[in-house]
Amino acid sequence: MWPLIFIAGCLALVLLQFWWQERRNARLRIQARREYTEVALKQQREISAQFLAQQQALFNSMIEGVLLLDQEGRVQLVNESLRKFFDFPAEIRGKNILEAFHLPELANLTNRLQNEKIISDAELEIQREQLRSLQVNAAVVTDRSGVEQGQIFVFHEVTRLKELENIRQEFVGNVSHELRTPLSLIKGFAETLLDGAKDSPEQATRFLQKIDKHADRLLFLIEDLLTISRLESGHVALNFQEVNLRDLVQRTFEDFASRAAARKTTVENNIPETTVIWADADRLQQVLFNLIENAIKYGKAEGRVIISAREISADKTEISVADDGPGIPAEALPRVFERFYRVDRARARETGGTGLGLAIVKHIVQAHGGEVRVQSELQKGSAFFLTIPHRPD
Ligand code: ADP
């Protein structure tokens, strides 16, 4: 009997040990699995934090503004460019679009996007220090199985492009207008001639002279337009050389002898004989021509036009063309160098101006590395100043 009990006891002991071992192993397996899960979760969290940081860095490096909304239309992500565009006061993550941006137009885009799924080239204007124009492209964001997760908006600033487009349109409008006026006059005179005026030599001469005058105006306008377009596109290569300024002014005066005499204007060349500047002689002559022409044309009859020059610093000379005419109103001063700007439009047309003279002056002086400015007082006169840098070492 005892041996049997002993064997059973031993068996029970072996079984107990086996059971105990198994439980221990199971506990170790559970612990190992838990530890593995924790490590894996930690790694996953690290990877997704790294991914998010990379994503944010990528978005932040974009010039375009990026906005990500979640499915409820709350802000999930904005990049640095977008922050700069809108100048957000505080954290806007989690807010809805209207709370965050206060822009009903943008809220309308999110509504549109729900139906259209993609929006290209929408335009948005925001008033900050200045009016800024943004082009907006947007799309619905879906996961792999096509379930909508939110919306993404990309904002591209087009303020400068819009400004350039406005300048272009204004320029085309001005050019067409300036060309149409003399052309319709020429056509009118030609029709009058054909209708019978040609049979009277006196009338015919008068109308032909007018046709000739307006054709000249068209030619000047086209020449000035070509000059300005070459200057603006930077296609004018300046031929720099040492120029004796007094001689150059004297040569320019010769072109005005009869016009100055007709208005009884005295023109004075006050430039010292020794003044030599580093410039393109032909272009600088064009500058002087335009300024002296204006001074005679807009100055008073029997007035005085004085050209002077002085060294204003070790590295530049200032040239001035001054008249004692009626002057330019203060509000017009900042605009006189603009293309086609005229203080008195009717008077300028009558005197045959193209409205491009001062714009050409400004471009040529800037191409020399210099600057232009004007000073004027009503009934006292106007003075145009230009600086020309000295020859570089
Ligand atoms: P325009 O062909 O009309 O003369 P400009 O560009 O040379 O064109 O000049 C622009 C405008 O500036 C002129 O129409 C005129 O109103 C004004 N202006 C230019 N120079 C003078 C001046 N010396 N005195 C008064 N007004 C001037």
Side-chain angles (χ1 to χ4, degrees):
M1 184 68 184
W2 280 113
L4 258 175
I5 293 172
F6 177 73
I7 291 168
C10 284
L11 208 66
L13 258 175
V14 168
L15 280 175
L16 198 66
Q17 198 183 0
F18 181 75
W19 172 81
W20 187 80
Q21 194 75 36
E22 261 312 293
R23 258 195 75 185
R24 197 163 155 262
N25 286 349
R27 222 181 301 132
L28 283 174
R29 273 199 302 272
I30 290 170
Q31 197 179 341
R33 215 178 296 142
R34 200 181 296 141
E35 276 171 13
Y36 173 79
T37 317
E38 268 171 25
V39 169
L41 274 174
K42 198 171 157 222
Q43 270 179 352
Q44 210 174 5
R45 269 197 301 269
E46 273 172 12
I47 290 172
S48 58
Q50 217 176 351
F51 177 72
L52 272 176
Q54 270 175 356
Q55 212 178 34
Q56 187 76 42
L58 187 80
F59 283 142
N60 283 344
S61 65
M62 288 171 70
I63 302 168
E64 287 85 4
V66 180
L67 164 70
L68 193 64
L69 299 180
D70 67 13
Q71 222 181 341
E72 275 76 47
R74 285 183 306 247
V75 177
Q76 215 176 21
L77 179 145
V78 287
N79 73 345
E80 276 308 308
S81 294
L82 196 74
R83 278 188 187 284
K84 282 188 198 137
F85 287 159
F86 287 92
D87 205 7
F88 298 125
E91 179 59 82
I92 59 158
R93 242 176 303 172
K95 291 191 177 172
N96 76 35
I97 192 105
L98 212 52
E99 274 176 329
F101 290 84
H102 307 287
L103 269 180
E105 297 89 340
L106 188 58
N108 287 345
L109 280 183
T110 64
N111 295 338
R112 249 181 74 191
L113 199 55
Q114 279 164 4
N115 300 325
E116 298 176 24
K117 309 296 176 209
I118 191 156
I119 295 177
S120 309
D121 300 339
E123 280 195 10
L124 204 64
E125 287 196 327
I126 53 173
Q127 183 67 54
R128 291 295 177 265
E129 274 166 30
Q130 52 160 153
L131 191 70
R132 297 176 80 171
S133 307
L134 302 174
Q135 191 184 57
V136 190
N137 291 309
V140 161
V141 181
T142 54
D143 65 11
R144 276 195 215 161
S145 42
V147 179
E148 287 184 15
Q149 299 293 310
Q151 298 180 339
I152 186 162
F153 291 78
V154 179
F155 300 78
H156 189 73
E157 172 143 33
V158 288
T159 313
R160 183 69 193 134
L161 272 180
K162 281 221 140 185
E163 275 169 13
L164 289 175
E165 177 56 18
N166 288 345
I167 292 173
R168 192 192 64 83
Q169 276 179 7
E170 196 184 281
F171 183 66
V172 171
N174 275 327
V175 170
S176 326
H177 180 80
E178 296 297 328
L179 290 174
R180 205 187 303 122
T181 314
L183 263 179
S184 39
L185 286 170
I186 289 173
K187 188 160 166 47
F189 294 132
E191 278 170 4
T192 320
L193 277 169
L194 288 172
D195 283 348
K198 67 176 184 330
D199 300 326
S200 147
E202 210 177 275
Q203 274 192 337
T205 311
R206 202 156 52 85
F207 285 123
L208 284 170
Q209 276 167 346
K210 284 186 191 266
I211 286 177
D212 189 45
K213 180 179 143 196
H214 291 291
D216 273 350
R217 218 180 112 194
L218 272 181
L219 261 180
F220 295 146
L221 183 64
I222 287 164
E223 268 166 28
D224 278 359
L225 278 173
L226 286 175
T227 308
I228 212 148
S229 99
R230 267 189 240 117
L231 285 165
E232 284 187 354
S233 61
H235 286 153
V236 176
L238 295 184
N239 176 20
F240 280 97
Q241 52 188 287
E242 288 192 332
V243 182
N244 181 299
L245 194 57
R246 189 179 166 82
D247 293 350
L248 189 72
V249 170
Q250 212 52 44
R251 285 204 298 279
T252 317
F253 274 178
E254 284 160 19
D255 295 332
F256 291 105
S258 62
R259 267 187 271 183
R263 301 212 74 207
K264 298 202 173 97
T265 308
T266 319
V267 282
E268 279 176 36
N269 184 351
N270 278 0
I271 297 178
E273 271 170 27
T274 50
T275 307
V276 172
I277 56 166
W278 184 244
D280 179 316
D282 292 338
R283 293 291 169 193
L284 191 63
Q285 187 163 24
Q286 195 172 2
V287 167
L288 293 167
F289 185 96
N290 288 358
L291 292 177
I292 297 169
E293 184 183 44
N294 280 353
I296 296 175
K297 200 162 68 171
Y298 301 112
K300 63 179 182 195
E302 299 183 26
R304 265 173 93 199
V305 176
I306 302 172
I307 327 292
S308 325
R310 66 190 179 105
E311 235 179 56
I312 51 164
S313 69
D315 58 356
K316 49 185 170 254
T317 296
E318 185 182 71
I319 306 170
S320 68
V321 178
D323 64 68
D324 54 357
I328 301 169
E331 66 278 10
L333 286 176
R335 300 200 57 193
V336 286
F337 293 100
E338 278 175 27
R339 293 177 301 198
F340 297 115
Y341 181 79
R342 276 104 166 214
V343 180
D344 181 346
R345 205 159 265 275
R347 166 108 209 279
R349 287 241 178 75
E350 187 192 300
T351 49
T354 61
L356 294 172
L358 289 178
I360 291 176
V361 165
K362 184 172 130 187
H363 276 294
I364 295 179
V365 173
Q366 284 177 345
H368 279 79
E371 282 162 18
V372 283
R373 69 191 168 91
V374 55
Q375 262 175 17
S376 184
E377 210 179 317
L378 286 179
Q379 306 315 328
K380 293 242 169 91
S382 312
F384 288 82
F385 298 91
L386 35 123
T387 53
I388 300 288
H390 290 173
R391 181 180 192 163
D393 288 337

